Amino acid sequence: MDEELFELIADTVTVEVTDPKTGKVYRRELPIDYYENANILKLSGENLDGSVSQLVFYSSRGLERAKDLTGHGADHDPCHK
């Protein structure tokens, strides 16, 4: 049964890098909270002092929605009504 996927959530992230000099591939599993939907990708973890740190990346759609919510979007009706 296929179900629609609206968000991805994980409490660890695997990072894979390739060293350009040697061509060796290195993988690390990191304790980073991962959240993704159609609007954003958010990575959360701890700073050295234990406080929360986040990186948020907006998709084009998410950026337009954020602008609309804060009153900085274009003055048009997205439903064309």
Side-chain angles (χ1 to χ4, degrees):
M1 178 186 334
D2 291 335
E3 68 179 64
E4 280 192 69
L5 184 62
F6 292 103
E7 61 186 4
L8 295 172
I9 300 171
D11 57 6
T12 59
V13 173
T14 302
V15 176
E16 182 176 288
V17 297
T18 304
D19 182 275
K21 292 181 182 176
T22 64
K24 287 186 177 182
V25 176
Y26 297 90
R27 298 183 86 187
R28 301 286 185 264
E29 197 167 283
L30 305 171
I32 296 174
D33 292 328
Y34 180 95
Y35 177 83
E36 180 182 0
N37 66 24
N39 299 315
I40 67 167
L41 170 94
K42 180 174 70 171
L43 303 172
S44 304
E46 289 186 358
N47 283 328
L48 288 175
D49 64 3
S51 62
V52 176
S53 183
Q54 295 182 339
L55 289 173
V56 177
F57 302 92
Y58 288 92
S59 66
S60 296
R61 175 182 165 187
L63 190 55
E64 288 304 314
R65 287 183 173 200
K67 286 180 184 178
D68 288 343
L69 288 172
T70 59
H72 296 96
D75 290 330
H76 64 83
D77 180 2
C79 297
H80 306 294
K81 291 182 180 179

